Amino acid sequence: MGRLPAPTRTEAAALGTAVLALFVGYVLVPDRTVQYGAWLVVFCVWMAWFVAAGARLLYDE
């Protein structure tokens, strides 16, 4: 098995976006609806990261 690729700026942005969404949902506006929306944002960011990381893994090598 090969080495994992180095983290990129896109991965840092995805992580920052997810953390920011959860911060808004749990600290700034602690409402159940906002928390649900925050988790939807986290899921969408994760899915976009997953597809981008998979494409990079498949096509960059």
Side-chain angles (χ1 to χ4, degrees):
M1 181 131 175
R3 292 179 50 192
L4 292 175
T8 63
R9 193 178 342 170
T10 306
E11 292 171 350
L15 181 61
T17 303
V19 168
L20 179 65
L22 292 175
F23 179 77
V24 169
Y26 283 90
V27 176
L28 295 181
V29 188
D31 181 50
R32 287 183 65 189
T33 306
V34 177
Q35 291 170 356
Y36 182 77
W39 281 108
L40 284 176
V41 168
V42 169
F43 177 75
C44 290
V45 167
W46 176 76
M47 286 303 295
W49 170 83
F50 185 78
V51 170
R56 188 174 66 153
L57 185 65
L58 287 175
Y59 298 118
D60 280 352
E61 292 184 5

